[in-house]
């Protein structure tokens, strides 16, 4: 099976208020759910010109300025490639994917007339309450700590870095039986 780790950085949190994607990272692995073995198959990292200002609160999180993305392609130019990549994937893995990344991505695809691939997904945040003492949903740093994955807060909130460490956590937690794949749950 092919899995894709996914993360977005955006101009703000509310797509309905015109916020847009400014960075997308997808790292693809061939993954054997029987053994947990995984082999890197590719990566796609792209900054995007959002055609609007970046909110100060978002800038404070990811540090991406409008000047950093001003000469990047526009979303309508890369959206077809995103659809093609996601259509070739069996499962998308994202931290806060169900609460933010996947709905935001779907709305942005629809906004430019692209179909939303019907791909199964795993949200490492929702499946990892075991990673925190009180059972709250963990941030990525807490999940890394629980999985023994080095986490550099200085590199955090760059989409590619976040996907890399999140996938390391996914692989470690999957091998221990702490994270389940939706495709396997359907087969049972």
């Amino acid at each position: 099976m092919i899995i894709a780790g996914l993360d977005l950085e955006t101009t703000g949190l509310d797509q309905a208020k015109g916020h847009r994607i400014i960075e997308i990272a997808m790292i693809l692995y061939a993954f054997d759910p029987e053994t947990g073995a995984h082999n890197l198959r590719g990566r796609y990292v792209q900054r995007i010109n959002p055609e609007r200002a970046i909110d100060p609160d978002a800038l404070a999180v990811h540090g991406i300025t409008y000047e950093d993305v001003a000469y990047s392609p526009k979303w309508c130019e890369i959206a077809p490639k995103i659809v093609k990549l996601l259509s070739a994937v069996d499962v998308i893995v994202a931290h806060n994917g169900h609460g933010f990344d996947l709905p935001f991505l779907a709305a942005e695809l629809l906004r430019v007339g692209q179909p939303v691939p019907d791909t199964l997904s795993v949200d490492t945040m929702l499946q990892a309450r075991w990673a925190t003492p009180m059972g709250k949903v963990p941030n990525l740093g807490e999940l890394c700590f629980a999985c023994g994955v080095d986490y550099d807060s200085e590199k955090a909130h760059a989409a590619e870095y976040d996907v890399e460490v999140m996938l390391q956590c996914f692989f470690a937690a999957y091998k221990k039986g702490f994270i389940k794949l939706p495709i396997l749950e359907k087969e049972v």
Side-chain angles (χ1 to χ4, degrees):
M1 94 174 14
I2 301 294
I3 65 167
L6 171 80
D7 189 45
L8 307 175
E9 301 302 334
T10 62
T11 62
L13 297 177
D14 193 345
Q15 201 266 348
K17 292 183 178 177
H19 289 291
R20 302 288 178 248
I21 298 169
I22 57 172
E23 186 174 57
I24 185 168
M26 292 182 10
I27 302 177
L28 285 71
Y29 277 87
F31 180 69
D32 181 346
E34 298 287 324
T35 66
H38 52 281
N39 295 305
L40 181 65
R41 291 292 184 223
R43 65 180 60 229
Y44 178 78
V45 180
Q46 179 66 60
R47 287 203 168 164
I48 301 141
N49 180 337
E51 303 180 86
R52 62 153 289 153
I54 298 170
D55 278 7
D57 289 343
L59 176 63
V61 172
H62 53 59
I64 302 170
T65 66
Y66 186 78
E67 292 75 24
D68 294 331
V69 296
Y71 297 103
S72 298
K74 296 175 183 170
W75 179 249
C76 62
E77 297 172 283
I78 67 156
K81 182 169 187 153
I82 301 303
V83 170
K84 185 176 179 180
L85 284 167
L86 292 177
S87 296
V89 168
D90 298 298
V91 178
I92 299 168
V93 180
H95 195 74
N96 197 20
H98 295 169
F100 182 73
D101 296 87
L102 297 175
F104 202 104
L105 179 60
E108 283 293 270
L109 289 172
L110 292 172
R111 181 179 65 81
V112 296
Q114 291 293 315
V116 177
D118 185 22
T119 307
L120 297 171
S121 61
V122 169
D123 188 326
T124 57
M125 188 173 80
L126 295 179
Q127 286 200 35
R129 289 181 181 272
W130 52 266
T132 58
M134 301 303 288
K136 75 171 189 69
V137 292
N139 63 39
L140 191 53
E142 292 167 331
L143 180 59
C144 286
F145 179 79
C147 291
V149 172
D150 288 336
Y151 180 77
D152 185 341
S153 60
E154 296 293 317
K155 294 179 182 177
H157 302 294
E160 186 174 18
Y161 177 79
D162 286 357
V163 172
E164 286 175 348
V165 297
M166 183 263 311
L167 282 172
Q168 288 178 44
C169 292
F170 168 80
F171 295 133
Y174 184 85
K175 280 189 175 185
K176 294 178 182 177
F178 292 150
I179 289 184
K180 305 288 184 214
L181 289 173
I183 197 165
L184 297 179
E185 291 172 4
K186 284 183 173 181
E187 293 173 356
V188 173

